[in-house]
Every structure is written in structure tokens, then in C-alpha cells.
Amino acid sequence: METSAAGAGRRGSGTAKQLNVGGKLFALEEASSLSLSLSLDPSPIPTFVDRDPALLSAILSAIRAPSSPPAFPARILLDEALFYGLHAQLLAALSPPPLFGFSASLASTLSPASEPFPTALAAHHDGSLCLAHGAGQLTYYSPALDHLTTFRTHLHRATSLRQLSPSLAVVGSSSSPGLHVYDFLEGRHVASVEWADPSDLRVLKSRVIAIAARPPADAADTNSPIFATFECSHRENCILAIDPVTLKPVQEIGRQGGTAAKSSSPGRVVHLQELGLVFASSVSSGAFGYSGYMRLWDIRSGNVVWETSEPGGSGRSSRFGDPFADADVDVKQMVLYKVCSKSGDIGAADLRRLSDDPWVYMSSGPRGSGGGHGSVLHCYKSQVFVSRKDGLEVWSRLEEQQNGRYNSGEQPRAKEMLDTKGINENSYRSSYMDTEEDSKRGMIEMMEGGGDRLFVTRAGMPAVEVWESSRLAGAISLP
């Protein structure tokens, strides 16, 4: 499809259908890769559409030249593209290229107009972001990162947050009871979920510590349950499985009580749908260092199928005295990662080959020698992002090509991640994403991946950093 001045659609041999948008003619070539949802009249008379031709010209220009800045705000163009059936193509053009940590850089920052200090992040697979900030406020940014809405919830402070599709967010607070569902486009409260046990009076006004909820990417994910960690004032805690349609609790997993580190509430919950498992981890730090546990729960039976505690305990790591500071799961590759609190080394374990000590360790080198105290680890797009005192590091796998060279610009597949002996630490590569100036902005507190973006918050900073790969960062094959 091409834009033209009046009369330009007469060029060619009748292979173009004409569209008259507000007095300006557009020619739709039969062989064009663009397709409109409009029914064009096959007669020689152009189909008239009473809309702004400048917007359609900008839409077509943005689709054809994604690297050029659009002539209008992205939100306006995306709304207009819905009319022509070009929304998906325009959104793909406006979205960043595939996220590769070794070539990513700070692209922009998001800062709400009021009470801008972030308290929780929830990124969607389309690249949009729901942000909790200040005294219980939620702000939603579209996939093009346009600000769409900000409203105040009834919570004093939202500390856990996940997006559901198409416009729902589940919210929890470490200071207020219950799990709450909000429609962030309409700014209204939809439902609440409470943990109740009539036989145990200690289960009262339980707060939500962590949430695992998968925004459905396809029809197979629509019934994926919501998992949330609830904790009462007496430290009684459990993981509740919640039906995403009825928003009712359907199962209680991993109930425990007490003040010991091995029975504290999980601060991270990950649903391993393919394996039928739930991963839960808890980490605490104090004057004597870090301590915590990781567990895998079978959803059907509710039993623990594997666990490790550091320091000491069952499944003890061979690196006694160097407990983990944070841990996460690469759901796609079925690999569990942790960052050691003292050495700062990264440990990896194959979820299909777990044992008492399944870890393979990788060291970062001189710049990462500052240890892992305060580090945050996040798995996304088959990459492991790790915050350190001196910067933001990414670990990825090298895929060996048939010509004997390595290309780190492609995401490895699951079967290529593991050799016959399990994880091979020699196939990992690490690099720092940020510069020294970037690291001076402060220690990273939260990281969330969404679409082809990495969203980052730092201690004391009233903004969310948006990291993207450059369109000029692709690998070049030499003959």
C-alpha cells in the first residue's frame, strides 16, 4: 500500500484498488504485504473514508520504517490503526527488537506524575507495564509505553502485583489483608480473595507476600491458576491456588508456621505448569548474613518433591557458608538459578536432574567480584539478569553453529541448553549491560521482563528504567 497525491492511484495497469481518505488517495497494491480490514469497492471509484489522511500516512510510514520516530504519539496511531485493521502490524513496528542483554541499553524512563516511587512491577508479554507506586496507586502503560491511566486503590501500599488479560491486575500488600483484583483500565475494584480456615483461629487477616499469575498468551493459558503466598500475623503461611475465572481458592499448598527461616513465607513463587510444580523460595538477611530455602511442591499431591536450605539443612550446597541471595526459574529452559551472597557466583541446576547438590557454578570475573550482597536475579527470554553493587549483569548461553563459530544473537532451544551430562558451565557467557555511569544511579531493587523490554527500579529513584536492545545491534555474518 502506498500514499500518493491526488490522482497518483491511476498509475499502473489496474492492479491497485483506491482508497480516498479525507480527500487524499491511497493505492492498495494486490501484492502488498499490508492488508486493510475495510471492504474496498472494486469499481474505479475510490472508496471514501472520512478520516484524517495524515494519520494513515503516519501509520504506513511507521510500519515501513520502524526505526524512524513516528510523526504522531504512538497512542493516537494505535487507536487509528484499529479502524484500518493495522493495529497488530503497527504495534510490531513500534515494539523494540528482540531483547538481548549483551546489546541492551537504557532506552527511556517512566515516572508517574504523583508519588512516583515504585513499590511493585507487573510487565505483560505484549510489552505493557502495570506499576504500583506511592500510597497504593496503580499506573498502566500501554505496549507502546504511553501512559493510559492512574488511579488509587484502597491499599495503603501495594507490594506484589501481576497483570492478567485483558485489563485485570491482581494486587497484594504486606501491610493490608487479602488479594485484590482491579480493572486498571476502568480504575475499579473487582474482587477480593481471603485465606480462611474456620478450624484455626490464627488464620485471620492474612496478607499477600508474593503472587504468581501468568497472563494468558494463548487459549491454553486461560485456565492457569493464580498462586499467592498468604501470611498471618502469627507467621502462619501457605500458598493458595486460585481459580482465575471464579477467583475462588481451590487448593492450599505448603502450609507452615513458626518464626524459623525454614518456615517463613515464600517471597517468590513460580508456576511450572509443564511439570505440574510450584517453585517457592524465601530469603532473609541480617547481621549474620543470608539464610533461606527453595522448595518444589507437587500441585496434585501438595507434597514437597525437592528442597534445599542454606546454610545447612537438607540438600545442602557444597559451598557451605555462601548461601544464596536470590533465586529464580527459567520456566522455558527448566533451569533453576541462584546468586551466591558472598562470592557473587551464579549457580545453575537442571530441574529435570535435581539431587542433593545439583549446582554448577559460574564466576563473573573481576568486575563482578564484589559479591552478591543485595543482588536481585531475574530470568527472562532464556537469559539471567543479575544486579550487583557495581552494575547490571546478564548471563546467556552460547549456541554453537555448524561452522564452528558461536552466535550469541539467537535464543537457544530447550534441548540445546543441556548436554548428556547436564548443564555445562563452559557454554555460558556473561557481560555487563550498563556503564559505570548507569551503576552510579543506585542499587537495583526490582526487575521485570515484558515483551522485549526489561523494566528496572533502583533504590531511592522515583522512576522505572526501560532497557531495550538497539535495532543496530544485530549480529553480522562475515563470509
Side-chain angles (χ1 to χ4, degrees):
M1 186 173 183
E2 62 182 33
T3 57
S4 61
R10 293 190 292 270
R11 291 178 298 178
S13 57
T15 61
K17 297 179 181 179
Q18 296 183 11
L19 185 66
N20 184 342
V21 180
K24 185 173 183 180
L25 293 182
F26 294 80
L28 178 63
E29 301 290 344
E30 292 180 353
S32 174
S33 60
L34 299 178
S35 60
L36 292 174
S37 62
L38 302 176
S39 297
L40 299 182
D41 192 342
S43 69
I45 302 176
T47 301
F48 178 76
V49 179
D50 188 14
R51 300 187 79 86
D52 189 346
L55 292 178
L56 180 56
S57 295
I59 291 171
L60 299 178
S61 298
I63 293 175
R64 287 174 174 153
S67 59
S68 301
F72 293 89
R75 176 177 56 83
I76 296 177
L77 294 182
L78 287 170
D79 289 344
E80 185 72 5
L82 286 171
F83 175 80
Y84 296 102
L86 296 174
H87 185 273
Q89 296 179 66
L90 178 60
L91 181 59
L94 296 178
S95 299
L99 177 65
F100 299 128
F102 66 89
S103 64
S105 60
L106 178 61
S108 60
T109 58
L110 304 175
S111 182
S114 63
E115 302 180 21
F117 289 92
T119 58
L121 300 176
H124 197 271
H125 55 71
D126 63 3
S128 63
L129 177 70
C130 192
L131 167 66
H133 57 98
Q137 293 190 69
L138 292 184
T139 292
Y140 176 67
Y141 295 92
S142 74
L145 297 186
D146 287 314
H147 172 264
L148 293 186
T149 182
T150 296
F151 66 96
R152 188 178 297 275
T153 70
H154 73 285
L155 301 172
H156 175 68
R157 187 171 185 265
T159 52
S160 53
L161 177 67
R162 284 292 179 266
Q163 272 199 59
L164 297 178
S165 185
S167 63
L168 299 180
V170 284
V171 190
S173 172
S174 59
S175 58
S176 303
L179 178 71
H180 305 278
V181 182
Y182 276 89
D183 187 316
F184 50 77
L185 292 182
E186 297 184 3
R188 63 183 179 90
H189 184 263
V190 176
S192 296
V193 181
E194 301 283 349
W195 178 32
D197 185 354
S199 64
D200 191 342
L201 297 180
R202 295 174 300 175
V203 179
L204 180 66
K205 295 183 178 180
S206 54
R207 303 160 297 171
V208 171
I209 307 300
I211 306 172
R214 289 170 43 135
D218 50 51
D221 288 338
T222 55
N223 292 323
S224 180
I226 302 168
F227 292 93
T229 301
F230 283 80
E231 181 187 69
C232 303
S233 58
H234 293 282
R235 303 298 300 275
E236 191 83 5
N237 62 83
C238 80
I239 302 172
L240 278 188
I242 301 166
D243 186 283
V245 178
T246 64
L247 297 177
K248 301 294 184 182
V250 294
Q251 187 179 4
E252 182 180 300
I253 302 173
R255 184 166 177 171
Q256 53 188 355
T259 58
K262 296 180 182 179
S263 59
S264 58
S265 302
R268 188 190 294 271
V269 181
V270 180
H271 181 200
L272 306 177
Q273 189 172 16
E274 184 177 336
L275 300 179
L277 303 175
V278 172
F279 169 79
S281 68
S282 174
V283 182
S284 60
S285 62
F288 299 99
Y290 282 83
S291 61
Y293 67 80
M294 304 180 211
R295 295 192 183 110
L296 287 173
W297 299 87
D298 183 280
I299 297 177
R300 291 186 177 182
S301 66
N303 297 327
V304 176
V305 296
W306 178 83
E307 69 176 313
T308 182
S309 300
E310 297 181 11
S314 60
R316 182 175 63 186
S317 168
S318 60
R319 293 197 173 189
F320 184 78
D322 193 7
F324 69 96
D326 198 11
D328 198 7
V329 180
D330 187 329
V331 177
K332 182 178 179 181
Q333 307 293 351
M334 296 298 174
V335 180
L336 173 61
Y337 292 95
K338 68 174 181 177
V339 54
C340 299
S341 58
K342 291 186 177 180
S343 65
D345 292 348
I346 303 300
D350 180 4
L351 285 174
R352 293 157 292 193
R353 301 170 185 263
L354 291 176
S355 60
D356 286 342
D357 188 12
W359 303 104
V360 175
Y361 293 93
M362 290 82 69
S363 298
S364 300
R367 190 181 173 190
S369 59
H373 182 81
S375 291
V376 178
L377 186 148
H378 179 63
C379 296
Y380 189 66
K381 296 272 186 183
S382 300
Q383 300 167 92
V384 184
F385 299 92
V386 185
S387 69
R388 300 186 183 279
K389 292 180 180 179
D390 54 0
L392 177 58
E393 185 184 29
V394 60
W395 287 82
S396 56
R397 301 281 302 205
L398 297 174
E399 184 179 3
E400 188 173 5
Q401 303 299 306
Q402 293 181 354
N403 59 7
R405 293 178 298 193
Y406 291 94
N407 177 16
S408 56
E410 297 183 8
Q411 298 284 354
R413 295 181 295 273
K415 293 183 179 179
E416 295 169 333
M417 284 287 293
L418 308 172
D419 57 22
T420 56
K421 298 181 181 180
I423 295 175
N424 179 7
E425 67 274 18
N426 295 325
S427 64
Y428 280 90
R429 159 187 164 172
S430 68
S431 60
Y432 272 77
M433 298 171 55
D434 55 356
T435 64
E436 292 185 3
E437 291 299 320
D438 291 328
S439 62
K440 291 179 181 178
R441 288 194 295 271
M443 193 72 176
I444 291 175
E445 286 189 330
M446 294 181 287
M447 287 189 288
E448 282 286 335
D452 285 299
R453 299 184 176 104
L454 182 69
F455 300 97
V456 174
T457 68
R458 298 179 186 267
M461 294 296 292
V464 178
E465 299 177 359
V466 183
W467 289 72
E468 300 174 357
S469 289
S470 170
R471 294 188 181 274
L472 304 177
I476 300 177
S477 299
L478 299 177

